[in-house]
Amino acid sequence: MDQARIDAALARLCDPTPLVADGPAVVVGLLDQLAAAIGNSGERGDGLRSYAHSSPPIDLGAFELWRQVDAGVRDLAAWCDVDAGAVCAGLDRVAALRALLRAAAARLGGKGPEGVRWFGASVDAWAERIQHLLNPARSVRRIWGAVCPHCEQSMMTSWVDDQQLRVPAIALVPESAGRAAALVCGACGWARRVPVSGGG
């Protein structure tokens, strides 16, 4: 795996990904979406340390995946001799993981081809696991952390298997025969047809 592929893997996991080519794009990164999913965004706080106010409990699947990604990133950083305390000072937890990954990637030169491949494979695997957790069916893709430009809601209540859950308001509905893809808000009904340019 060369440096270009490492950069692409980091961008996929860490960077906001534009999902539309025209108009105001929805640009929420995978790490941000995972952090938003932890508390179902129904609690106040940063999604990781929050306090209840008559809202659903944390999403344990998202929380466990966050813990695994967090531990894995810190292990990679230590393996690359990155001082996590210095890199993460003053950053929130999502920004800290981004910074640690970037700092570790900058020190991969001495780890040899196997180390570079392992690093890239780890980053790719985390991105895949987050994608699968957030959008297992990959038919209608819910966008965690996105805000509707019309009603300004990011979350809505939905019934799933006889349970009332908080889910993202904005979803990307894929193209089908004779229909274009669309961003749709389940809270207010706002919709916009969009050409999909990335973020798969």
Side-chain angles (χ1 to χ4, degrees), residues 35-55:
I38 287 172
N40 266 342
S41 291
E43 297 182 350
R44 300 180 194 274
D46 66 5
L48 302 171
R49 296 178 311 276
S50 54
Y51 56 91
H53 64 286
S54 301
S55 58

Side-chain angles (χ1 to χ4, degrees), residues 3-200:
Q3 188 59 46
R5 289 190 63 194
I6 291 287
D7 292 343
L10 287 173
R12 180 179 178 210
L13 182 64
C14 298
D15 295 348
T17 304
L19 295 177
V20 298
D22 63 342
V26 174
V27 287
V28 182
L30 285 177
L31 284 177
D32 295 288
Q33 290 186 58
L34 180 59
I38 287 172
N40 266 342
S41 291
E43 297 182 350
R44 300 180 194 274
D46 66 5
L48 302 171
R49 296 178 311 276
S50 54
Y51 56 91
H53 64 286
S54 301
S55 58
I58 66 171
D59 181 320
L60 294 178
F63 180 73
E64 180 57 28
L65 181 53
W66 176 272
R67 283 182 359 99
Q68 291 172 13
V69 172
D70 182 79
V73 169
R74 290 176 188 281
D75 287 347
L76 276 179
W79 179 67
C80 291
D81 300 318
V82 172
D83 180 354
V87 170
C88 299
L91 298 176
D92 67 46
R93 294 198 58 177
V94 175
L97 287 191
R98 282 194 203 103
L100 284 173
L101 281 166
R102 300 275 185 212
R107 293 183 173 218
L108 275 176
K111 298 300 181 182
E114 283 301 313
V116 171
R117 275 193 289 277
W118 179 59
F119 183 93
S122 297
V123 173
D124 280 336
W126 293 326
E128 276 301 312
R129 290 182 64 199
I130 294 170
Q131 281 280 28
H132 180 71
L133 176 83
L134 299 177
N135 301 287
R138 299 229 184 180
S139 53
V140 173
R141 180 177 177 196
R142 296 207 175 270
I143 313 297
W144 290 89
V147 176
C148 175
H150 183 260
C151 70
E152 299 184 351
Q153 295 297 309
S154 64
M155 300 296 292
M156 59 180 254
T157 302
S158 179
W159 286 94
V160 178
D161 296 330
D162 295 328
Q163 289 186 317
Q164 198 171 20
L165 301 175
R166 299 273 294 162
V167 297
I170 300 294
L172 178 65
V173 179
E175 293 180 276
S176 59
R179 295 179 55 200
L183 285 174
V184 177
C185 176
C188 72
W190 169 87
R192 183 177 73 214
R193 292 176 57 187
V194 294
V196 177
S197 65

